[in-house]
Amino acid sequence: MATLTPPRPPETAPAPGRGPGTPLRAALAPVGLVMAAAAGGVALAPGYASPAPVYAVLPLCALLSVAVTLAARARLSPLAGILVGLPLPLAGVVVCAARLPGQGTGVLGGTVEALLHSGARILTSAAPTPLNADTLTLPLLATWITGVASVLLWQGTRPALAVLPGLLALVGAVVLNGPVAPPGFPSIGLVAVAAVLLMAASSDGRTAARARAGSEDLRIEVDAPETQTLGRLGRILVTAVAAALAAAATVFGGPVLLSSWEAAPGDPREAVRPPLAPEAALNPLGYLAAWAAEPDDPLLTVRSEEPVDLRWVALAEFTGTTWLPEGGYRAAGEVLPDPVPPPPHATGVRAEISVGDDLPGGWAPVVGVPRRVGLQPLGYDAVSGTVVSADGDIAGARYEVAGDVADWRAVELADASVPADAVFDRYRELPPGAPPVLNDVAAAVAGQGSPYERAVLLSEYLRESHYFSAQTPGGHGYANVADVLAPPGQQGGGGTSEQFASAFAMLARAAGLPSRVVVGFGSGADEGDGVRTVTTGDALAWGEVYFNGVGWVPFSVTPGEEGGDGAEEASSGAAEAEAPEEADDANGADDDTGPGAPPEREPGAAPLWPFLTAGGLLLATAAAVPALRLARSRWRLRPGAPERRVLGSWRELCDHLRQCAGAPPPPGHTVGDTVALVQALLPEEGREWARVDLRRLAGAVNRVGFAPGAGVSATEAAHITDGVRRQSRALRRTLGRGRRLAWWFDPRPLFWRAP
């Protein structure tokens, strides 16, 4: 049927990016906008200590921002639409302050604190970022603003720019995460799919706008509803395929293309000074002399399956008279950052620690390299592995700690080198005024050999040429160490682990080795049921040297106690490194890392998630084919204009015939010839019914195609539709079981042109 349509005034033609558009555009545009707005939050979530809530909250925020802004813009101006939705993210901040309090006091104070300092809290916290109102507010507001900006750009004159806010949010999330989070390929895939959906919706909207606006001349419109339907389904299918390809190319192709790229992102946290200052006024090393003189005072109790040694404080800066703790400390959650490099052959150990009233300072004793500490709020220094209580003194605290205890093996350390980077200069420096005995001992004892051999020789020199004396006065500066040390070949003086740890670090620095001092505790006395009491006599210090690819390696440097029978065992939170002559035995050591160690994956083993994701995409694609085919069949046979139902029934039957026969009817076949082909394929017992149904269909198709004036009644069209359904089922029953099962999963009919 042809219709004459008068020209439409130009000013009433809708803009390409505005207006209701077609159903395809109405469905694709919001989905694309939400995906673009959520991409930044999905990329940011892995950088949090508890990523699951972030994965839920930020995409939900993106969904609400897009939905609210679209609804508001339907009736309000852009500015009014922004202001109407603004209370929702602010309410979200209030909820976060109530459920996940940060450093603010109360709900109101926490909300104000989060709004003012959220960005600073993220940059001054240890990675992974602890989850609280202070660290979640900025991403929450940024996600909301991203969704609002995307909607406003989509409804503007250039809808293709709607993906730009999401892309900028994604870049910001990647920069904010730095090196602690995995690459954001899934988020890049979200942006890519969002771009495909928005381009498809924009193209569909422009087509609809041109159809509505037309030209200023008189137009002739020809009704072709079925052709338009097929075109719409085709666009849906093309959009789905393009979106799947874009997602696959970014999520799976990106890692493959960049697998050999060794560049690492910078950490923005390094540019910000942490607010928690180290407790320089307290020197934990200075307590050891007094504790050695009074060794029976309890300091803390430890409950664990096996005896564990504890690390307390690492000290790196030497002034000539004292060692100072490393710092500063960053606010951290219960989960602490992964150590770099990871401790070798680590065994996971858990312990429950109850601190007594006499342990000074805010430092928290931990196991090995701490991975999880149930103490809040806390500060953490990733360089030294030191944990502090952000509330002040640690006395009276009770918490659980999990850490990795390394297994140092001499065979792996024998050829290890020490770093020459400028960042390690502070661990090699000795202030002016060093006594000559330091250089004499370093040259005579550790003047040759590999760095590891030199460190072992220095530790053996201290243990074998000196003795432990609990009565030695406190002090670990140049003067104190000079009184204890003796030239090589002579018997040295007595001291506590305070003097010997300080002497080892000084000698190592004089020998060019980056070193520091660490204070900790032995495993304590067994009280039964896995409980051990750690007293002042269990406190000791040791030295550590840094090796490339291995990290800080502890060395036992304290001789046996005065009058004792043997050397004191190292209690450094890890086993004592073996001497070079024991390397042959280490080659045959059992590599079992113990029951608490995490399972190790083979170097060549591929991660499982790409295969699971690919399988999910394949299943989704397989399910989409029958869904699209069934939807098209219902669309063709739905109630409506009789002529349209007749043509839809004819096309449905032709598709069934082609799928059963394996080839389309010859181009020169008439309607009667095609009906005869269908009837020949049907079984004998149903041919009488088929003859009636097919004769009725053929007559109606010829009347609609060649005699429009004759018309088809609604009742006749309904009978024809029912007959086509019967004969289509009969055609499917003529096939084998395998082809019947795969019937609706065949995607080819979706691409066949209507006869």
Side-chain angles (χ1 to χ4, degrees):
M1 180 181 295
T3 305
L4 297 179
T5 304
R8 182 193 298 270
E11 62 274 9
T12 62
R18 308 176 69 91
T22 66
L24 174 65
R25 180 172 183 260
L28 293 183
V31 175
L33 293 172
V34 172
M35 294 177 71
V42 173
L44 192 64
Y48 281 81
S50 301
V54 184
Y55 275 123
V57 170
L58 296 186
L60 178 61
C61 179
L63 174 63
L64 290 177
S65 66
V66 171
V68 170
T69 308
L70 284 174
R73 283 290 293 118
R75 297 179 177 274
L76 302 173
S77 65
L79 179 59
I82 295 173
L83 296 178
V84 165
L86 191 58
L88 283 178
L90 296 178
V93 176
V94 175
V95 173
C96 290
R99 301 296 298 273
L100 300 169
Q103 297 187 23
T105 303
V107 176
L108 180 59
T111 302
V112 175
E113 186 76 12
L115 291 173
L116 294 178
H117 303 294
S118 181
R121 295 284 188 266
I122 295 175
L123 293 177
T124 56
S125 63
T129 307
L131 181 62
N132 53 51
D134 293 346
T135 59
L136 192 57
T137 295
L138 177 63
L140 185 70
L141 296 178
T143 302
W144 184 274
I145 294 172
T146 300
V148 172
S150 297
V151 172
L152 296 180
L153 287 173
W154 168 251
Q155 293 184 334
T157 57
R158 295 186 179 274
L161 295 178
V163 76
L164 182 60
L167 184 60
L168 294 176
L170 171 59
V171 172
V174 172
V175 172
L176 196 60
N177 276 338
V180 300
F185 291 111
S187 299
I188 299 173
L190 281 178
V191 174
V193 173
V196 171
L197 297 180
L198 291 175
M199 285 189 292
S202 177
S203 175
D204 187 66
R206 287 194 296 269
T207 302
R210 287 195 297 266
R212 287 191 300 268
S215 65
E216 297 184 7
D217 299 328
L218 184 67
R219 293 179 292 123
I220 301 178
E221 294 182 352
V222 180
D223 294 336
E226 192 62 33
T227 302
Q228 293 172 0
T229 301
L230 288 175
R232 185 177 301 116
L233 289 173
R235 288 196 297 274
I236 293 175
L237 184 61
V238 170
T239 301
V241 172
L245 291 176
T250 53
V251 177
F252 302 112
V256 174
L257 293 175
L258 300 178
S259 59
S260 60
W261 191 29
E262 299 180 354
D267 191 352
R269 291 170 170 82
E270 296 179 355
V272 181
R273 183 178 180 83
L276 296 176
E279 299 183 71
L282 294 176
N283 185 354
L285 197 59
Y287 291 100
L288 296 186
W291 286 349
E294 299 290 338
D296 299 325
D297 295 337
L299 293 176
L300 49 94
T301 59
V302 181
R303 180 185 295 273
S304 62
E305 295 182 358
E306 300 291 339
V308 294
D309 300 328
L310 303 177
R311 292 175 62 91
W312 193 29
V313 189
L315 307 105
E317 182 181 352
F318 182 58
T319 64
T321 57
T322 188
W323 290 87
L324 299 178
E326 290 202 71
Y329 306 102
R330 296 181 178 272
E334 182 176 342
V335 179
L336 299 180
D338 295 335
V340 179
H345 313 290
T347 300
V349 178
R350 295 178 178 273
E352 181 180 314
I353 298 176
S354 299
V355 182
D357 295 333
D358 296 328
L359 189 66
W363 302 290
V366 296
V367 177
V369 179
R371 305 302 299 274
R372 184 183 295 268
V373 179
L375 179 69
Q376 290 296 325
L378 62 84
Y380 179 64
D381 178 28
V383 175
S384 64
T386 304
V387 176
V388 298
S389 170
D391 285 339
D393 291 343
I394 195 68
R398 182 175 180 178
Y399 56 93
E400 292 184 356
V401 60
D404 291 342
V405 177
D407 179 14
W408 309 104
R409 300 177 181 178
V411 66
E412 298 173 356
L413 296 170
D415 298 327
S417 61
V418 293
D421 303 348
V423 70
F424 286 92
D425 287 346
R426 59 191 294 253
Y427 299 105
R428 286 186 287 262
E429 292 177 350
L430 285 173
V437 68
L438 289 179
N439 291 326
D440 295 342
V441 171
V445 175
Q448 58 185 356
S450 69
Y452 174 68
E453 291 173 343
R454 285 183 277 156
V456 170
L457 291 172
L458 288 174
S459 65
E460 290 178 344
Y461 156 75
L462 291 172
R463 291 199 309 269
E464 297 173 359
S465 301
H466 301 75
Y467 61 93
F468 180 85
S469 173
Q471 285 73 39
T472 302
H476 47 266
Y478 278 149
N480 307 95
V481 170
D483 290 340
V484 173
L485 290 181
Q490 300 182 19
Q491 180 64 38
T496 64
S497 61
E498 173 189 2
Q499 284 85 30
F500 292 116
S502 179
F504 174 83
M506 293 182 196
L507 290 170
R509 293 188 177 190
L513 304 176
S515 60
R516 67 185 183 186
V517 175
V518 180
V519 182
F521 304 94
S523 57
D526 189 2
E527 304 291 344
D529 296 330
V531 177
R532 290 179 171 267
T533 299
V534 177
T535 64
T536 50
D538 296 312
L540 76 162
W542 61 91
E544 291 185 342
V545 176
Y546 192 93
F547 296 95
N548 283 324
V550 181
W552 289 102
V553 178
F555 290 86
S556 176
V557 296
T558 303
E561 293 184 356
E562 185 178 13
D565 294 328
E568 177 185 349
E569 294 184 356
S571 184
S572 58
E576 177 185 2
E578 300 165 279
E581 58 267 25
E582 297 172 342
D584 293 338
D585 295 336
N587 284 326
D590 186 4
D591 286 340
D592 186 8
T593 55
E600 295 185 2
R601 191 175 66 196
E602 295 182 3
L608 189 59
W609 66 266
F611 301 100
L612 295 177
T613 307
L617 289 175
L618 290 177
L619 289 176
T621 304
V625 172
L628 289 173
R629 288 194 57 187
L630 288 170
R632 188 179 67 172
S633 179
R634 289 192 176 188
W635 179 270
R636 284 173 169 174
L637 303 180
R638 75 190 190 280
E643 292 83 0
R644 184 198 54 75
R645 294 193 75 183
V646 168
L647 293 178
S649 300
W650 173 249
R651 287 159 181 152
E652 188 71 12
L653 184 67
C654 289
D655 282 354
H656 275 67
L657 171 62
R658 181 174 179 179
Q659 196 170 354
C660 287
H669 266 41
T670 63
V671 173
D673 295 334
T674 303
V675 166
L677 287 177
V678 174
Q679 192 166 350
L681 292 175
L682 294 172
E684 289 288 343
E685 62 272 11
R687 288 194 176 179
E688 188 60 35
W689 270 105
R691 188 177 296 110
V692 174
D693 291 338
L694 296 176
R695 186 187 306 117
R696 180 182 294 163
L697 173 63
V701 170
N702 283 323
R703 289 201 305 275
V704 171
F706 301 102
V712 178
S713 66
T715 303
E716 185 179 5
H719 287 311
I720 290 172
T721 302
D722 293 338
V724 167
R725 289 194 179 101
R726 280 194 298 270
Q727 303 317 315
S728 297
R729 288 193 295 267
L731 283 172
R732 292 197 297 271
R733 285 196 296 269
T734 62
L735 302 175
R737 177 173 298 180
R739 291 186 65 186
R740 288 204 306 270
L741 292 176
W743 177 273
W744 293 108
F745 291 92
D746 188 349
R748 293 177 301 165
L750 294 172
F751 300 93
W752 292 341
R753 297 184 62 182

